[in-house]
Amino acid sequence: MSETRILVTGGAGFIGSHLVRRLLDEGHEVLVVDNFYSGSRANLADVLHDPRLEIVRHDVTFPLYVEVDEIYHLACPASPVFYQRDPVQTTKTSVVGSINMLGLAKRTKAKILLSSTSEVYGDPQVHPQDESYWGHVNPIGIRSCYDEGKRCAETLFFDYRRQHDLPIKVARIFNTYGPMMRPDDGRVVSNFIVSALRGEPLTIYGDGTQTRSFCFVDDLVDGLIRLMRTPHEVTGPINLGNPHEFTMTELAEKVIAMVDTGVGVEYHPLPSDDPTQRQPDITQARGVLGWEPKVQLAEGLTTTVDYFRRQLAAQSVG
């Protein structure tokens, strides 16, 4: 495969850092653009020496003038803790950031992929969710900055396609977990693991019957790369996620058994607009990309628990 210069916005974040490693392993030049709001240079510590990696501190809500062949547009905080902290900036990142990256793609004739989200489906009334479902989203709630920001980003991508014949790809990413997650990001897998490792009760919001589907990050990155390499006529949106559904109670029980610190569970009220079900229909991913997740939850959780155990041990030494 010929060497390509690839821009990854949000490349110092959780998913972005894994994607950057994969692209470097394949021999590409990689330009990481990140404002480090929720990402961290430490996520790329093991590849900082690579001469094909360049990291630029930049906010995508401002234009960027570089020469690239492909753009993976991942920039945007994806955990409620971070995107609700500055909701106006979250919407700007999705909307203005997408306009800037699409403009860059148009100028450089680069292929561009948007990391959209299952949150475009809102609290779904269709189960499982396939790409033809338009969603059930509150436009004025506390999660709307992210949900509607990503919906608008998808609109922009398809309008650039229709108006300028831009080679776009849109991936709708479902719950993803693995090493490089922040311990304070407020997502359920990291919350459960960190609480268990600290010997604290796991917090379940609601009655524990709401469901999620958990995809290990290595599988997700493979799906993104496969989507980017599809022919021009393939645009998506394509769901990328694990179709195996688990309740919050089932996930808590798995983490407690794995960490084995004898902790219990506490129940708290369900946050506003928190979806009760989330499960991808990945028929398109299987058919178009030849992709489906390979890492089972037990295997992925073991790797993730080991990562957080090392992180917390390093913090206690420091």
Side-chain angles (χ1 to χ4, degrees):
M1 186 174 296
S2 60
E3 185 179 285
T4 308
R5 183 164 167 79
I6 301 174
L7 167 62
V8 181
T9 71
F14 161 47
I15 293 173
S17 61
H18 285 271
L19 174 62
V20 167
R21 274 187 201 80
R22 274 285 301 275
L23 296 173
L24 289 172
D25 285 345
E26 292 180 354
H28 302 294
E29 290 185 20
V30 181
L31 170 61
V32 168
V33 165
D34 205 300
N35 67 355
F36 301 112
Y37 173 67
S38 58
S40 170
R41 195 178 290 265
N43 287 340
L44 296 167
D46 59 317
V47 291
L48 288 176
H49 65 281
D50 194 314
R52 290 163 299 134
L53 174 65
E54 182 181 355
I55 301 177
V56 175
R57 181 189 289 268
H58 180 84
D59 190 313
V60 295
T61 61
F62 297 93
L64 181 67
Y65 302 100
V66 293
E67 301 301 320
V68 292
D69 304 302
E70 294 179 355
I71 302 168
Y72 286 86
H73 182 35
L74 275 61
C76 189
S79 73
V81 167
F82 283 90
Y83 67 64
Q84 290 172 10
R85 190 173 292 169
D86 191 346
V88 172
Q89 184 64 24
T90 296
T91 303
K92 284 177 67 178
T93 300
S94 285
V95 178
V96 180
S98 290
I99 290 170
N100 287 333
M101 290 306 108
L102 287 161
L104 174 62
K106 178 170 173 263
R107 181 180 66 79
T108 60
K109 298 181 170 55
K111 285 198 293 185
I112 181 167
L113 181 148
L114 171 67
S115 67
S116 188
T117 172
S118 61
E119 299 301 331
V120 300
Y121 299 123
D123 189 2
Q125 296 173 315
V126 169
H127 196 73
Q129 296 82 54
D130 68 30
E131 294 86 350
S132 67
Y133 178 51
W134 289 357
H136 177 231
V137 179
N138 176 4
I140 59 170
I142 60 172
R143 301 169 66 103
S144 305
C145 58
Y146 184 68
D147 302 1
E148 296 287 41
K150 289 291 191 180
R151 286 164 69 93
C152 186
E154 288 196 14
T155 301
L156 287 162
F157 267 65
F158 277 89
D159 282 339
Y160 264 79
R161 166 74 172 196
R162 284 184 281 261
Q163 197 166 332
H164 304 294
D165 197 32
L166 203 66
I168 67 159
K169 315 287 177 184
V170 175
R172 288 180 178 162
I173 298 173
F174 282 67
N175 289 65
T176 304
Y177 71 100
M180 306 302 170
M181 295 182 83
R182 291 181 63 126
D184 61 349
D185 73 358
R187 286 188 264 202
V188 65
V189 172
S190 50
N191 276 0
F192 281 2
I193 291 174
V194 170
S195 294
L197 288 171
R198 288 175 172 162
E200 300 168 353
L202 277 59
T203 299
I204 290 180
Y205 295 96
D207 62 6
T209 60
Q210 70 270 36
T211 64
R212 296 291 185 274
S213 307
F214 301 102
C215 184
F216 191 62
V217 65
D218 290 353
D219 283 333
L220 188 278
V221 165
D222 181 53
L224 293 176
I225 291 172
R226 285 174 184 243
L227 177 56
M228 179 64 94
R229 291 175 185 165
T230 52
H232 180 79
E233 62 271 14
V234 177
T235 60
I238 289 185
N239 289 338
L240 293 177
N242 196 315
H244 298 293
E245 193 178 11
F246 295 90
T247 67
M248 294 299 93
T249 298
E250 287 173 329
L251 178 66
E253 289 169 350
K254 287 180 183 293
V255 170
I256 289 169
M258 193 169 287
V259 175
D260 193 25
T261 50
V263 297
V265 172
E266 290 182 351
Y267 291 88
H268 291 254
L270 197 64
S272 175
D273 295 333
D274 195 61
T276 54
Q277 287 183 308
R278 185 71 87 230
Q279 182 189 16
D281 181 323
I282 61 167
T283 303
Q284 276 205 61
R286 286 190 177 112
V288 177
L289 308 180
W291 177 90
E292 62 183 335
K294 295 182 174 64
V295 179
Q296 298 301 313
L297 185 61
E299 179 188 349
L301 281 178
T302 299
T303 303
T304 309
V305 166
D306 289 344
Y307 168 77
F308 277 116
R309 187 175 273 123
R310 291 194 302 273
Q311 293 295 107
L312 294 179
Q315 288 175 13
S316 63
V317 170

